[in-house]
Amino acid sequence: MKILLIHPPCGPRTMGVRYIARLEPLGLEMIGAAVSAEHDVRLVDMLVRPSDLVRTLKRFTPDVAGVTSEAVRSQQAVEALRTVRKYAPDCLTVAGGYHPTTFPDAFCDPAVDLCVLGEGVETFAEICGARKAGATSFDHIAGLMIRTSGGMTPTEPRPLPTTLDNQSFPDRSLTARYRKHYFYVTEPSAAAMRLSFGCHHSCSFCTSPLYSHSRYVGRDPELIFKEICSIAEPFIYFGDNGSFHEADRMSALAHMLIDRGVKKRYLSYVRTDTIVGNPELFELWARAGMTFAMIGLEAFDDDALDGFNKGTSSSINEQAVRFLEEIGMSILAGFLVEPTAGPADFERLDAYIKAHPSILHAELTPLTPFPGTRYHQQHGHNVIARDWDLYDMQHFVVTTDLPAKKLYRMMLRSYTKVVLSVIRREKLWLPFLGIRTRKLRLLRGLLASRAALRRAHTHVQLN
């Protein structure tokens, strides 16, 4: 049976890290690994080459097509399945990922047959098995929303996974033709991995608790080590929220990498309280090759952090930043921009970044009320934009105290300072004196991101 997996593109108004990073569709590679032994599987990465979907459909007629989607690419995901339906009318179409899980009604479209809720590896494999056996009904498969004449109808809930160690490694051969196009900020060649599922914490703005119900499952360190050794790229992005939730597990993995002489570089999201509570662990990981830590600082005062249910404090954040500076680990820092933000907030932000040279790049993230989150429950009545293309955590989609144009102008000024800092640090001002391709790509990405921010206020009328 023929299976087509689709990584949809971004819309033209979508901003964010798309300009400075592009990573493999890890979830689709994991799903592909689960079904490739019994089926002919192809993967199309439309983020790299949007035209590849039609080109593939002209010579490959799938029996099942699956698309992954978060909120910001949900419209493009549905459009991709409409294209599949045009070329393969009898194909069973499936949508999965964060947005189909948290807001399946966005996929109630004639082009979409099924939505997978939550962890999708086993569910998709069961769908393909049933389809191969000739099934026309899938209501016996747990963890689905099925489109019917009355809307989206759920099947029995699927239990959350209790282990990840029975899953195959992602099938990276499916993205072989795209891999040279995967990069991350200053790293010209990048791979992605998953070390765990879920997160113990319940930040008010985060969709992860909705997906995992605040449960957490970590992979066996030996299996993680084996997967790292199987990856050709020199840089690996740990793509889950909770990679370092279990210190003993990550300590064992670091020792394996050091003792067996594995030479790679790593980036991981890490909570600041985890850093402060486990300094020896991060000294160890600095030796193992971890060069970047992505930390969500979010805010500068404890009242705001408490309001986000972050579970940290401004003191803990500062201790974590200082410690990472001491061990020479670069920081990718995230700051939330509230709808009430004003000039004083941006001045404070600028001063903080300037005072911490270890912050390689800073993401300024307007608070976004994703459906189902606590923040949406608190502020959903202030939502003024329901165009999912704008849910990229770069657009303000709620009412703001300041006029939109003024607010974006202040964001632009702060982001320009971030861009200039990166240009100075990476010496990107020498484009004609033997600059490497990676630096030229980073320079273009930073400038493209800045240009997009200049236009952001035209995308949605805020005030």
Side-chain angles (χ1 to χ4, degrees), residues 33 63 92-93 115 119 145 162 171 263 303 321 325 381 390:
D63 299 289
L92 179 71
T93 56
C115 283
E119 185 74 2
M145 293 289 281
T162 57
D171 186 352
K263 303 294 184 183
D303 286 343
V321 170
E325 289 175 347
H381 59 282
L390 305 180

Side-chain angles (χ1 to χ4, degrees), residues 25-34 119 121 167-171 194:
L26 187 63
L28 292 180
E29 292 171 334
M30 294 167 60
I31 286 172
E119 185 74 2
V121 174
Q167 295 182 357
S168 302
F169 292 170
D171 186 352
R194 182 172 80 159

Side-chain angles (χ1 to χ4, degrees), residues 443-458:
L443 178 61
R444 287 173 175 170
L446 290 167
L447 295 178
S449 186
R450 182 181 180 276
L453 195 55
R454 287 176 63 93
R455 300 187 298 268
H457 70 279
T458 67

Side-chain angles (χ1 to χ4, degrees), residues 317-374:
N317 285 354
E318 181 65 16
Q319 290 178 61
V321 170
R322 293 298 182 189
F323 174 75
L324 294 176
E325 289 175 347
E326 289 173 6
I327 65 174
M329 193 175 292
S330 295
I331 297 171
L332 304 178
F335 299 93
L336 293 174
V337 183
E338 297 190 66
T340 56
D345 299 295
F346 287 97
E347 290 172 5
R348 192 176 183 185
L349 173 66
D350 295 343
Y352 188 89
I353 295 172
K354 185 177 181 180
H356 296 84
S358 60
I359 296 178
L360 174 64
H361 189 264
E363 280 294 318
L364 314 182
T365 305
L367 264 171
T368 304
F370 289 100
T373 62
R374 186 178 305 177

Side-chain angles (χ1 to χ4, degrees), residues 5 210 301 394 413 423:
L5 303 175
L210 306 176
D301 60 81
Q394 290 291 283
R413 287 173 183 164
I423 288 174

Side-chain angles (χ1 to χ4, degrees), residues 72-120:
V72 73
R73 291 188 291 156
S74 58
Q75 295 171 177
Q76 288 72 32
V78 172
E79 188 58 40
L81 293 184
R82 288 173 183 160
T83 301
V84 171
R85 187 74 85 205
K86 175 182 176 181
Y87 284 87
D90 297 327
C91 179
L92 179 71
T93 56
V94 185
Y98 272 97
H99 203 51
T101 296
T102 59
F103 201 67
D105 286 348
F107 295 82
C108 190
D109 186 278
V112 183
D113 294 318
L114 307 173
C115 283
V116 173
L117 305 181
E119 185 74 2

Side-chain angles (χ1 to χ4, degrees), residues 417-454:
K417 294 175 183 178
V418 171
V419 170
L420 291 174
S421 175
V422 175
I423 288 174
R424 286 193 297 269
R425 178 180 300 196
E426 296 297 315
K427 299 180 180 179
L428 302 183
W429 67 83
L430 300 172
F432 303 109
L433 298 179
I435 190 170
R436 295 182 180 179
T437 301
R438 72 174 179 87
K439 292 193 174 185
L440 183 58
R441 180 164 55 188
L442 176 58
L443 178 61
R444 287 173 175 170
L446 290 167
L447 295 178
S449 186
R450 182 181 180 276
L453 195 55
R454 287 176 63 93

